[in-house]
Amino acid sequence: MTYLENSKQYTGTDLENIFFRPILTGQSAKDLGIRVLYNMPQATHVQLWDGQRNILQKFSAAGWSGSTAPTRTEKTINLQRVKAELGFSAADYFPMVYEKISSIVDVNMEDLSGTILEQAETELFRKALAENIRATMWVGDSAAEEGYNTFDGFLKLIEAGVTAESIVNSTYTDTNLAESSYTTTIFDKLWSDADPRIQDLKAEGQLAYFVSSDLCYLYEKYLDEKGVDAAYIDSVNGRQQLAYHGIPIIDVHLGSYLADTGLKQSFALLTDRRNLVMAVNTADMPGTEVRMWYNPDEMENRQRAVFMAGCLLLDEKLITYACKQ
């Protein structure tokens, strides 16, 4: 066997259960570090309820005084129709899939069933799709002529909020970053500039610093300089999770993507994870599918996914942002 020629098409529940749900729900969604809405009814609405404050009253008279309803704000996520396409030379495609199969335990490499091949092909495409969704949700710019331009990502939405002065921002320079300890100054600034509601949310354990890789590296260098045994051990073994004053620091791993955009290359933001929302819909648009097929004319294996996706900042006032000038 040197080519894979069987076509595969996923729609409806197969599309949801085999392709998108594994990368957008459960632990996979948590790994993205944000709030993910999958297959919410179109149009996707997010409700913001301002819980009533000061509802306790003196019990001194009869009557009803709870007639004032909580304040509700509704936001709509603008989902865009998108497609993802990959093409591989048939001569290259089979070895890639074969390598995936070889990593599966208890597989008879002399008798590869259609199911095993399908699992390997699915995993190959699903991994590429998940990474491109992750990248676009951060660096997407619908106004760009090329690149990740299917929908606006968080950084584009944040820069628009900074311009509109609805997001508090600050700046730093290369000179500032000459000292690794300056990363703590950035984190302190983000905290001190934050809306009091952000600070109050710390107890819920959902606050996070989302930062570019350069700041993560500098912060680790700062920790390495601490003259204690733990710092030495961490500098040798690495750190699985960074944090500052109990708030996780999440490296967004966008260096290779930001280089091809007009967005800020170095940045940090503080917000509640639930405030960054990405929605993906595979149920409410005609033609939504994942298809894999072999083109004999070009001797090429092709993969295509069609779905809807979009991002939203739930409350811009719950974000503080800093970037390099």
Side-chain angles (χ1 to χ4, degrees):
M1 181 185 297
T2 56
Y3 298 119
L4 299 178
E5 300 182 11
N6 293 334
S7 298
K8 303 167 187 66
Q9 182 181 17
Y10 303 97
T11 59
T13 57
D14 286 342
L15 175 65
E16 176 178 339
N17 295 328
I18 295 176
F19 254 89
F20 283 92
R21 188 165 291 280
I23 62 177
L24 295 171
T25 60
Q27 187 58 46
S28 295
K30 291 180 180 179
D31 289 342
L32 292 174
I34 62 165
R35 181 179 178 184
V36 179
L37 303 179
Y38 178 57
N39 270 359
M40 295 288 288
Q42 273 284 82
T44 301
H45 300 288
V46 184
Q47 312 293 332
L48 295 175
W49 292 91
D50 184 11
Q52 289 286 82
R53 298 193 178 194
N54 195 25
I55 63 173
L56 298 179
Q57 302 175 36
K58 292 181 178 180
F59 189 74
S60 58
W64 172 257
S65 58
S67 59
T68 303
T71 302
R72 181 179 72 90
T73 303
E74 182 177 271
K75 284 194 171 185
T76 303
I77 301 181
N78 184 23
L79 296 184
Q80 301 294 325
R81 298 182 65 176
V82 301
K83 68 176 181 176
E85 295 179 329
L86 287 174
F88 302 91
S89 166
D92 297 330
Y93 187 67
F94 178 74
M96 294 172 65
V97 175
Y98 192 86
E99 181 181 354
K100 286 285 184 183
I101 295 173
S102 66
S103 65
I104 301 175
V105 179
D106 298 329
V107 172
N108 181 2
M109 301 302 290
E110 301 299 325
D111 181 22
L112 299 178
S113 68
T115 301
I116 295 297
L117 288 173
E118 183 175 346
Q119 289 176 352
E121 285 189 86
T122 298
E123 179 60 25
L124 183 68
F125 191 28
R126 188 166 55 199
K127 183 177 180 181
L129 194 60
E131 177 58 16
N132 276 265
I133 291 175
R134 186 195 74 84
T136 306
M137 80 179 186
W138 281 105
V139 305
D141 182 358
S142 60
E145 294 183 0
E146 57 184 6
Y148 297 86
N149 59 1
T150 50
F151 57 89
D152 287 337
F154 296 131
L155 294 180
K156 178 67 180 297
L157 297 174
I158 287 172
E159 290 191 359
V162 169
T163 301
E165 298 184 351
S166 57
I167 293 179
V168 177
N169 76 294
S170 57
T171 60
Y172 52 89
T173 66
D174 283 324
T175 302
N176 296 139
L177 298 183
E179 294 291 335
S180 60
S181 61
Y182 191 79
T183 52
T184 62
T185 302
I186 295 174
F187 299 148
D188 286 335
K189 179 69 172 173
L190 292 175
W191 175 263
S192 61
D193 286 346
D195 187 292
R197 290 178 298 162
I198 297 181
Q199 299 173 349
D200 291 342
L201 287 170
K202 182 179 180 180
E204 297 185 16
Q206 294 295 325
L207 289 188
Y209 291 103
F210 294 89
V211 307
S212 52
S213 297
D214 63 324
L215 296 186
C216 268
Y217 174 75
L218 287 174
Y219 183 57
E220 284 204 273
K221 294 294 290 182
Y222 164 73
L223 296 177
D224 290 345
E225 294 167 1
K226 298 294 184 181
V228 295
D229 291 342
Y232 171 76
I233 294 172
D234 286 341
S235 66
V236 173
N237 299 328
R239 301 171 177 85
Q240 296 300 314
Q241 177 64 66
L242 294 174
Y244 184 67
H245 290 172
I247 301 176
I249 297 172
I250 300 176
D251 186 346
V252 292
H253 298 293
L254 297 174
S256 60
Y257 301 108
L258 287 170
D260 298 324
T261 71
L263 300 169
K264 300 297 185 182
Q265 307 291 297
S266 177
F267 64 88
L269 64 101
L270 172 65
T271 190
D272 189 292
R273 296 171 187 262
R274 298 164 294 190
N275 198 36
L276 304 178
V277 183
M278 183 186 69
V280 174
N281 190 294
T282 61
D284 297 333
M285 182 187 76
T288 300
E289 66 171 0
V290 167
R291 183 189 297 268
M292 295 180 286
W293 73 100
Y294 174 69
N295 184 317
D297 294 331
E298 300 292 336
M299 297 185 67
E300 185 176 62
N301 285 90
R302 295 178 175 178
Q303 301 171 325
R304 174 187 291 142
V306 180
F307 56 99
M308 302 179 72
C311 288
L312 174 71
L313 303 179
L314 206 54
D315 188 343
E316 294 182 344
K317 295 186 181 300
L318 294 183
I319 298 174
T320 48
Y321 178 67
C323 61
K324 188 168 68 175
Q325 288 180 327

